[in-house]
Amino acid sequence: MKVRVLFFASLREQLGRSQEDVELAAGMDSVEKLRKHLLARGGAFEKAFATKALVRCAVNQEMVQDGAPIKAGDEVAFFPPVTGG
Amino acid sequence: MKIAVQREDFDLSREVRAFSADKSIGAIASFVGVVREVAMTLEHYPGMTENALKKIVEEAGTRWKVQDCTVIHRVGDLKPGDQIVMVAVASAHRGEAFAACEFIMDYLKTRAPFWKKEAAGWVEARASDDRAAERWK
């Protein structure tokens, strides 16, 4: 299945991209699994995703925890803790 | 209710005057955040940002009687002294207006997808902001 993955702020800069479509094998159905999949790419991805507390996630524009499910066509965003206001 | 994410500046008094003419409004509390010391660029997550702010205001509405509310957050390049965010809440009495206004700011700082970048790099989230949001639980 395919999901659209977005990156913001420092993650976007570290990874040199703001979005990409990621093809996931069957069973890769949670944020945690996607995060580990990206981390396993090594290099900048390994560095960006190494510290769990520094990477927050939203699925279809709703903030979620690591165990949240994902399905084909979802928009999954990764970003650092927010600093607005 | 008005939620806006924009590059342009805002005028607090104009926003407050635009509040509904609801005769039960007896108090309006407001907050304006200003850029301190160094210039910055604000990035956000278009779409999610507006939804997150709307949810925060709705959550405030379940805790206090909020007659009207306006939240405006700026994005893009900002310099010291620039206004960055405003929250204004209209209620029957001041206690509700003050509390809802502070609650909205505390939640905005920890739940709305904005990120600040200064010349020295990305601004890191502060634990004190998390603690401020925690006390409303």
Side-chain angles (χ1 to χ4, degrees), chain A residues 48-71:
Chain A
F49 284 88
T51 311
K52 216 166 140 183
L54 297 181
V55 182
R56 302 290 160 87
C57 181
V59 174
N60 298 326
Q61 307 193 349
E62 294 263 4
M63 210 83 92
V64 297
Q65 299 298 317
D66 227 24
I70 52 175
K71 56 183 192 312

Side-chain angles (χ1 to χ4, degrees), chain A residues 10-22:
Chain A
S10 53
L11 249 70
R12 174 176 52 74
E13 287 188 348
Q14 272 177 285
L15 302 173
R17 70 196 72 188
S18 57
Q19 67 172 68
E20 69 171 293
D21 289 334
V22 179

Side-chain angles (χ1 to χ4, degrees), chain B residues 37-100:
Chain B
E37 290 164 20
V38 291
M40 61 174 66
T41 301
L42 259 135
E43 177 175 332
H44 78 120
Y45 183 171
M48 179 176 166
T49 318
E50 292 81 354
N51 291 335
L53 293 174
K54 189 163 171 274
K55 256 190 228 140
I56 293 166
V57 172
E58 283 168 357
E59 165 85 29
T62 66
R63 293 167 179 241
W64 301 279
K65 204 157 183 323
V66 173
Q67 251 82 353
D68 208 344
C69 178
T70 291
V71 179
I72 301 177
H73 202 300
R74 294 178 69 192
V75 291
D77 296 331
L78 296 170
K79 58 184 191 310
D82 281 351
Q83 302 190 107
I84 175 167
V85 59
M86 68 150 278
V87 175
V89 177
S91 295
H93 305 285
R94 71 181 184 285
E96 291 174 307
F98 276 133

Side-chain angles (χ1 to χ4, degrees), chain A residues 22-85:
Chain A
V22 179
E23 185 67 46
L24 293 171
M28 300 276 287
D29 54 3
S30 74
V31 167
E32 186 181 11
K33 288 174 186 167
L34 172 60
R35 196 173 51 75
K36 284 181 176 157
H37 172 76
L38 294 172
L39 186 140
R41 287 175 170 179
F45 280 91
E46 189 175 0
K47 219 171 155 188
F49 284 88
T51 311
K52 216 166 140 183
L54 297 181
V55 182
R56 302 290 160 87
C57 181
V59 174
N60 298 326
Q61 307 193 349
E62 294 263 4
M63 210 83 92
V64 297
Q65 299 298 317
D66 227 24
I70 52 175
K71 56 183 192 312
D74 277 352
E75 176 178 297
V76 184
F78 291 103
F79 43 81
V82 302
T83 55

Side-chain angles (χ1 to χ4, degrees), chain B residues 11-21 28 68 70 86 88:
Chain B
D11 180 342
L12 174 67
S13 61
R14 199 173 63 202
E15 298 301 332
V16 166
R17 272 200 304 277
F19 271 161
S20 78
I28 295 171
D68 208 344
T70 291
M86 68 150 278

